[in-house]
Amino acid sequence: MTEIKVIGDILSGKFQPSLTGNQIVDAALIDHFCQNLAIALQLSSDTIQAEHHWDLTINPNVVYIIDTQILRVSGHQRGNGNVIPVSHTDLLRGQITATKQQLISQDSLHYSVN
């Protein structure tokens, strides 16, 4: 089973962007996004987790869903099959449609979803 990490804020290290500026609100918003995505992909909720302490390292065995604002300033490339950009607004609102379509079209999950 593919592990999926959602990065919408980073709480440690030199690079510490946040979603809203409030850690409690950020955690709740990102968790809501993760839950919506798990339901849409019919996955267990522990498969999709928020990563609040990302060290900017990309593990090829993990799919990363990263806020486009973080992706832009971190220097990582979007073309990588295991890096999926997500709109800052989609993260804030828990909208997963575009992310789900990217996961499916890039075959990032390595199995079919409905």
Side-chain angles (χ1 to χ4, degrees):
M1 177 81 49
T2 301
E3 181 181 5
I4 301 172
K5 293 186 178 184
V6 177
I7 301 165
D9 67 346
I10 300 174
L11 302 176
S12 60
K14 293 180 181 180
F15 183 70
Q16 296 184 13
S18 65
L19 194 58
T20 67
N22 181 315
Q23 290 182 11
I24 295 169
V25 172
D26 288 355
L29 291 169
I30 296 167
D31 286 344
H32 178 70
F33 181 89
C34 291
Q35 291 167 359
N36 288 350
L37 192 58
I39 291 167
L41 296 174
Q42 299 177 349
L43 298 172
S44 66
S45 60
D46 61 338
T47 304
I48 302 173
Q49 296 292 318
E51 175 61 71
H52 300 287
H53 301 282
W54 186 48
D55 65 1
L56 306 180
T57 303
I58 300 290
N59 178 339
N61 299 317
V62 175
V63 174
Y64 295 90
I65 298 171
I66 305 175
D67 183 326
T68 53
Q69 294 179 6
I70 293 174
L71 194 58
R72 181 179 55 244
V73 296
S74 70
H76 286 291
Q77 299 199 6
R78 296 177 185 209
N80 192 341
N82 68 327
V83 176
I84 308 291
V86 61
S87 158
H88 190 79
T89 304
D90 285 355
L91 270 176
L92 287 170
R93 296 182 178 166
Q95 298 172 336
I96 52 85
T97 305
T99 301
K100 177 183 173 185
Q101 292 305 318
Q102 284 185 292
L103 284 166
I104 293 168
S105 69
Q106 291 183 6
D107 193 31
S108 297
L109 299 178
H110 305 293
Y111 59 90
S112 63
V113 294
N114 297 333

